[in-house]
Amino acid sequence: MTSADSAHTYFTKAARIMDVGERIETLLMTPTRELRVQVSIELDNGEIRTFPGYRCQHDNARGPMKGGLRYHPDVSSEEIHGLASLMTWKTAVVNLPFGGAKGGIAVDPGTLSLKELERLTRKFVDQMHEVIGPTRDIPGPDVNTNPQVMAWVMDQYSKYHGHSPAVVTGKPVELYGSRGRDSATARGLLVVCRQILQDVGLPMKGMRFAVQGFGNVGSHVARLFHDAGGVLVAVSDVNGGITNPRGIDVPGLFEHVRRNGTVKGFGGGEACDSNAVLVADCDVLVPSAMGGVIDKHLAKDVRARIVLEGANAPCTPEADAVFEERGVLVVPDILANAGGVTVSYFEWVQNLQHVTWDEERVNTELERIMSEAYEKVGQISRSRKLPLRTSAYVLAIGRVGKATVLRGI
Ligand code: NAD
């Protein structure tokens, strides 16, 4: 099942509960624009390679569209479409004045040199610069893209349109990036984790957690949750993982990753494969790698009481149904990992106003927005007796639907 299928299933379930009607349902589901390009570059050895690139602009009823750029071999037009619609619902859940978009290139960036990656990024911007922009569509980082890639996007776009830092977020702090952006998604996850633990009566101190993925999201989750008193019992990246029921030495793990580029081989626990982490004995599981990793079979074996979706669409709808049946609480991606886009919004605001916020202000505002969103979703869940995911969609669809109707169809 693709991300598009998952997003469609969740959307339809909530839309039917809300009785929005077939006309509005179709309108809200259909992307505004889908761009597909062939990104051709010359490799360092003189060969020419061509990679398919995509940008899907899903909805702009609530503001300019916003969503990351992903460089991964599995990127496809269906996946980008699904992830773009997730962004529409995510920005609405946290009430940012944005719509949703997503883009990417089907490439394994690990096979490219830095110069080739730069040429690829600049060429992609050449092909989409007319449809993105600070008031149209603002890309940001996602899987395998980072502040350096965002800096190239800004520079290349500015060659066409004049100095435009607000065209892209997740830039380096030295080049109009926001303080606190690198850890924002994990910090947002921490805010909702604290709130749900409070709701179920579990203390943060001593809470046992497992993380799949050790990139931007997963590594900061490991650090921030550990600093807040949590005990990391399992962690993995694409190469492999480790478990230790007594707790993994997090600073030691960071040192190991700094030296070796992977969590694999860290001595402070027992080696396991990447997916074994998903079924580790823990209180909170934070899948923070790729989509679709928890299907209905694996969901039966998950031992966590709470699943916090750090990644986008890590659970298939069938897995979600198994969790509901088993009473495992799932905090959905469109709420749980919205901290990243929230601080991207702060970055856009700072760029447009030519100001710089200090990190304390960023974190305080982030905490306020994430807490309010969690509260609102919780209220819907309690009053309508719905799972958190459906409640988050109900909140988002209500906001996007209202804006669509007010603007006029
Ligand atoms: P990243 O490229 O920085 O890191 C991805 C990590 O996942 C890497 O450690 C990689 O080794 C690991 N990984 C890949 N395949 C794996 C596998 N099969 N098993 C275990 N680990 C695997 O990406 P990221 O920015 O951290 O994004 C991770 C997820 O979070 C994605 O789904 C992304 O869409 C989502 N997300 C990211 C942000 C953000 O701010 N970066 C915000 C919201 C959601």
Side-chain angles (χ1 to χ4, degrees), residues 186-205:
R187 201 170 284 281
L189 282 155
L190 179 63
V191 173
V192 294
C193 183
R194 280 206 165 103
Q195 283 174 289
I196 196 161
L197 286 177
Q198 202 171 3
D199 287 351
V200 301
L202 264 179
M204 184 77 207
K205 193 161 171 43

Side-chain angles (χ1 to χ4, degrees), residues 235-264:
V235 64
S236 70
D237 64 19
V238 70
N239 302 307
I242 50 160
T243 58
N244 185 343
R246 290 182 308 282
I248 292 164
D249 164 21
V250 173
L253 175 65
F254 270 85
E255 184 50 30
H256 173 85
V257 173
R258 198 184 60 76
R259 284 171 192 228
N260 302 285
T262 173
V263 303
K264 191 177 175 186

Side-chain angles (χ1 to χ4, degrees), residues 70 90 102 141-144 181 185 212-218 236-238 274-275 288-290 310-312 337 340:
R70 175 177 289 206
K90 190 183 295 183
K102 201 81 176 190
D142 193 75
V143 175
N144 292 333
R181 174 61 185 90
T185 306
Q212 187 198 39
F214 206 73
N216 177 281
V217 179
S236 70
D237 64 19
V238 70
S274 300
N275 280 341
S288 307
M290 304 305 291
N312 284 316
N337 70 35

Side-chain angles (χ1 to χ4, degrees), residues 86-97:
L86 273 187
M87 287 308 296
T88 299
W89 313 125
K90 190 183 295 183
T91 53
V93 166
V94 281
N95 213 6
L96 305 178

